[in-house]
Amino acid sequence: MPITVSMIVLGAQLVVPVADGVPTFDVARSCKLDVAATAGLSVDQSTKSCVKDERKAKRQLASQWSKFPAPSRANCTSQESIGGTPSYVSLLTCLQLGQWAR
């Protein structure tokens, strides 16, 4: 049975891009933008704390990345690309929520 062009096009839409590893985010930039939007601690303290949290979340993601389902990784990673200030903490939370929802 020959494959028609419409079947190929329909099948191609079902492919979900999957990140092979933890994406790379500019956490220093994201933290500076987040701190600028909040008040409280001094800018230096808040930025250092934010960067520390982001690095910790990235290490945790690196050790658990393959345990999360590929569709969840792709979905959460694409969500983090929206808005311009991606966060490893937020990415980890998204992936964990996806596990708990199952």
Side-chain angles (χ1 to χ4, degrees):
M1 176 178 217
I3 297 176
T4 64
V5 173
S6 62
M7 290 175 70
I8 293 171
V9 171
L10 179 61
Q13 294 176 357
L14 299 176
V15 176
V16 178
V18 177
D20 291 332
V22 178
T24 301
F25 299 148
D26 183 355
V27 295
R29 179 182 176 274
S30 295
C31 287
K32 286 178 186 176
L33 291 172
D34 287 346
V35 168
T38 61
L41 296 174
S42 75
V43 173
D44 287 339
Q45 286 177 315
S46 295
T47 303
K48 286 179 184 178
S49 178
C50 176
V51 170
K52 180 181 174 185
D53 291 344
E54 289 294 329
R55 288 182 179 157
K56 180 179 177 184
K58 184 178 182 181
R59 285 191 303 272
Q60 191 173 351
L61 278 166
S63 69
Q64 298 176 0
W65 188 253
S66 63
K67 296 176 185 175
F68 295 110
S72 294
R73 292 191 311 248
N75 182 44
C76 291
T77 300
S78 67
Q79 285 181 20
E80 282 307 304
S81 300
I82 299 169
T85 56
S87 164
Y88 292 114
V89 173
S90 181
L91 177 59
L92 180 59
T93 301
C94 177
L95 291 167
Q96 290 172 335
L97 287 173
Q99 280 187 319
W100 296 331
R102 286 189 273 147

